[in-house]
Structure formats: structure tokens, C-alpha cells
């Protein structure tokens, strides 16, 4: 993906020869492996467990194969059709990751923040950030991470909006805490959803939401019957602002330094210091936010109960393939609601 985008930058800046002779061989070399081995066993995003069906990996394959196909077409190479064909093969099997309740990461670790990262970073026209599957997955994981981290419960009791999320429930690495990069990607998912919602309004106008087609988003953001696309977009922006506000509250004392994790008990930054991935995800979320209205929406569309109900069945038996930590559902505690409520204009 990165090479295809860099190649496009070279073409746009008048360096098409470099794009063809330097960038294309690298893309072709990498994708020779992908086209032959995309369904083989490999590692998850966190390099901890092995499987042949990671949702994150498959979404990345689909996105990158299509990006490389477009690049190949542009420079007159013939492999574009082949790359798109393999992307279609991956697409045909990835739909099994929707279990009717949420999108699961893999059979041996179903509940994972990597799914939100994949939705936000790699969606084309499948499981986009505005989709019902995205809303259902956010709704499910928000409840899990609210129950998982005492700092979330403490912030909720104080009336603070937003949520901190991490890798997966019962994570044991470095204490198993919320991660800044995943919390930022959750905020970006809301912003990306709002961007798509507003794009739809350009052709459909301020359409009324459907209690069937938009049920998950209406439940996630507490939108009542009669709510419109404008209400949804405003609530999505507000939710993203709420998440970034909570994240900011836990890092603002460190002078702009962003680490890997936030201690689930103290709320202080922890683990790897100055993590590039954390900076990149926060900056990208803010970049996505920049194009949206900085005005916080009114209180009638911003308070959301996100943790009512929840999935009643798992995609598979999570004990079939052991992980580094238990995958039992977190205990039900005080997380009956999370406020997705804007408290300021993040985008200004």
C-alpha cells in the first residue's frame, strides 16, 4: 500500500520513470508472495498468535491488491487484473468474519481492537466505517473494554465522555492496558463514518434514518426515531471528539509525548515511550477530523448508551487454539453506558 501511494506521488510530481523502475519492482516482488500465500498461516497484528484467517490481514490484502492494481494500470503493467482477481478471492471468504453480532478477528482470538483498525484503515466498499457492521463491532468492543479497564469505569463515574480501548480482553502483555494508537483509531473510525455520511447527503439530501438499515448506529449513538443523516453525522463527529478528549486527558500532562499504553489503574502513560505508531494514528485521526465541522453538536444527539445487550454467540470456540491469555468474557461491572459526547471543538 505504501509503495503504491509513493509511486503515485512520484508520478504526480513528474517522476514517472522512477515510479516504474524503482517502485514497481518492489510492489511486484511483495505481491508475488501475497498472491500465492494469502490464505496460509501467519501471525496476527500483534505477532502473538498464528492463524490463516485474521480479519486485519485479509482486509489489508484486499486494499493493497486493489491499490497495486490501480498503480499497475497507470504505468502500463499487465498485472492489474490478476491482483484484482486475488482480491476478489479474499473478499469471498472474509465475509465469514461477520458472526451476526460483530466482526471477529480470528477463530483463536475473536475479540480484538485490530478489527476496528482494519475497518478504519483498509475499507474500500466492504465493512466501511459507516456500515452497520462497523457500528455493531464498536458497540461490542466498547462494552468489553469498558469492563476490562478500571480507569474507564473511574472516568465514567466522573462523567467524562469517551472510552479508552486496547488490543483484546485479558491481554497480559505489559499489564494489559488501553493503547493510545487503538483509541485514536476508534476516534478516526467515527470521523471517517461521519465523512461518508456527509458524502451520502450530497446525493440523497438530509434523509431520514431507517430503524432497520441504521439500527446499529442509532443504538450506538442513541439516536431516536425520526433522526436524520445530519443528526447521525453530527453524532459521529461528537463521538470521535469524545474519544480523543478522553485520550487527551490521559496524555496532556506529558508535554506532547505519546507512549504505547495507558495504565488501566492509574491512567498514566506506560510501556514503550514515544511510540511512532501512536503518534501516527493520533495525527491521522486529527487529519481526518480537520475536514469536518468544528462545531460540537447539540446535547440531544450526543449521549449514547453503547453497552446495552451485546452478542449472544461467539464465532467459534476460542479455546480451540490457545492464546497468550484467557479469552473469557470480561465480568459485567458498572459499564451500563458510555458517553459519546463532544465537550469541545477538537477540529479547530
Amino acid at each position: 500500500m505504501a509503495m503504491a501511494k509513493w509511486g503515485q506521488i512520484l508520478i504526480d510530481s513528474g517522476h514517472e520513470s522512477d515510479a516504474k523502475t524503482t517502485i514497481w519492482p518492489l510492489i511486484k516482488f511483495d505481491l508475488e508472495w501475497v498472491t500465492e500465500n494469502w490464505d496460509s498461516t501467519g501471525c496476527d497484528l500483534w505477532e502473538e498468535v498464528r492463524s490463516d484467517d485474521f480479519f486485519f490481514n485479509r482486509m489489508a490484502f484486499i486494499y493493497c491488491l486493489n491499490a497495486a492494481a490501480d498503480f499497475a494500470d497507470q504505468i502500463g503493467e499487465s498485472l492489474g487484473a490478476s491482483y484484482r482477481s486475488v482480491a476478489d478471492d479474499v473478499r469471498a471468504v472474509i465475509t465469514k468474519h461477520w458472526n451476526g453480532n460483530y466482526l471477529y478477528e480470528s477463530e483463536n482470538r475473536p475479540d480484538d481492537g485490530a478489527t476496528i483498525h482494519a475497518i478504519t484503515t483498509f475499507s474500500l466498499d466492504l465493512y466501511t466505517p459507516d456500515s452497520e457492521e462497523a457500528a455493531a463491532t464498536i458497540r461490542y468492543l466498547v462494552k468489553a473494554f469498558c469492563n476490562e479497564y478500571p480507569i474507564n469505569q473511574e472516568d465514567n463515574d466522573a462523567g467524562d465522555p469517551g472510552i479508552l480501548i486496547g488490543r483484546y480482553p485479558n491481554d497480559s502483555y505489559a499489564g494489559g492496558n488501553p493503547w493510545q494508537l487503538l483509541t485514536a483509531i476508534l476516534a478516526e473510525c467515527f470521523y471517517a463514518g461521519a465523512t461518508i455520511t456527509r458524502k451520502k447527503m450530497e446525493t440523497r439530501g438530509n434523509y431520514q434514518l431507517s430503524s432497520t438499515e441504521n439500527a446499529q448506529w442509532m443504538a450506538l449513538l442513541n439516536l431516536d426515531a425520526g433522526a436524520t443523516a445530519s443528526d447521525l453525522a453530527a453524532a459521529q463527529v461528537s463521538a470521535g471528539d469524545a474519544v480523543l478528549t478522553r485520550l487527551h486527558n490521559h496524555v496532556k500532562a506529558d508535554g506532547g509525548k505519546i507512549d504505547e499504553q495507558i495504565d488501566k489503574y492509574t491512567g498514566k502513560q506506560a510501556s514503550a515511550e514515544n511510540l511512532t505508531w501512536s503518534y501516527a494514528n493520533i495525527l491521522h485521526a486529527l487529519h481526518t477530523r480537520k475536514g469536518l465541522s468544528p462545531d460540537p453538536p447539540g446535547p440531544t444527539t450526543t449521549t449514547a448508551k453503547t453497552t446495552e445487550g451485546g452478542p449472544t454467540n461467539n464465532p467459534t470456540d476460542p479455546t480451540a487454539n490457545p492464546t497468550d491469555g484467557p479469552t473469557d468474557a470480561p465480568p459485567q461491572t458498572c459499564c451500563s453506558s458510555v458517553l459519546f459526547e463532544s465537550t469541545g471543538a477538537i477540529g479547530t
Side-chain angles (χ1 to χ4, degrees), residues 197 204 206-215 217-218 223-233:
T197 300
R204 298 177 58 184
N206 190 21
Y207 58 91
Q208 185 169 313
L209 302 183
S210 164
S211 60
T212 54
E213 294 179 7
N214 307 108
W217 277 108
M218 293 176 74
L223 295 171
D224 295 329
T228 65
S230 179
D231 296 326
L232 174 58

Side-chain angles (χ1 to χ4, degrees), residues 60-279:
F61 290 151
I62 294 170
Y63 187 98
C64 295
L65 285 162
N66 279 291
D70 292 342
F71 182 70
D73 292 347
Q74 188 168 9
I75 62 174
E77 293 291 339
S78 61
L79 288 173
S82 175
Y83 291 161
R84 291 189 183 92
S85 177
V86 177
D88 288 342
D89 291 341
V90 182
R91 183 188 179 99
V93 299
I94 202 173
T95 54
K96 77 169 189 175
H97 286 264
W98 173 248
N99 67 1
N101 296 293
Y102 65 102
L103 289 163
Y104 71 91
E105 172 62 2
S106 65
E107 294 183 356
N108 57 349
R109 184 177 284 155
D111 304 345
D112 197 315
T115 56
I116 296 176
H117 208 320
I119 291 167
T120 308
T121 305
F122 299 125
S123 63
L124 292 170
D125 58 357
L126 177 69
Y127 304 134
T128 53
D130 71 316
S131 67
E132 283 290 274
E133 292 90 350
T137 302
I138 292 171
R139 195 177 177 200
Y140 175 78
L141 289 175
V142 159
K143 184 172 184 178
F145 289 122
C146 182
N147 286 315
E148 183 79 6
Y149 304 136
I151 190 61
N152 273 329
Q153 299 161 28
E154 182 179 324
D155 287 350
N156 290 352
D157 289 344
D160 296 337
I163 190 77
L164 301 173
I165 70 169
R167 302 196 305 172
Y168 48 85
N170 295 307
D171 186 359
S172 60
Y173 169 69
N177 300 302
W179 282 49
Q180 289 87 317
L181 67 94
L182 287 168
T183 301
I185 209 72
L186 172 61
E188 184 180 344
C189 193
F190 282 122
Y191 295 148
T195 301
I196 297 171
T197 300
R198 292 186 177 186
K199 188 69 175 177
K200 290 179 179 178
M201 291 173 61
E202 293 178 6
T203 56
R204 298 177 58 184
N206 190 21
Y207 58 91
Q208 185 169 313
L209 302 183
S210 164
S211 60
T212 54
E213 294 179 7
N214 307 108
Q216 291 293 339
W217 277 108
M218 293 176 74
L220 176 62
L221 299 178
N222 200 32
L223 295 171
D224 295 329
T228 65
S230 179
D231 296 326
L232 174 58
Q236 288 168 323
V237 173
S238 179
D241 287 356
V243 173
L244 282 190
T245 296
R246 180 169 294 197
L247 176 58
H248 180 253
N249 286 342
H250 289 283
V251 303
K252 63 185 179 182
D254 294 325
K257 183 172 75 76
I258 308 294
D259 296 338
E260 180 183 66
Q261 301 179 38
I262 293 171
D263 189 282
K264 62 186 175 185
Y265 297 109
T266 68
K268 304 296 184 182
Q269 294 201 83
S271 195
E273 296 186 3
N274 288 301
L275 188 67
T276 302
W277 195 356
S278 296
Y279 288 114

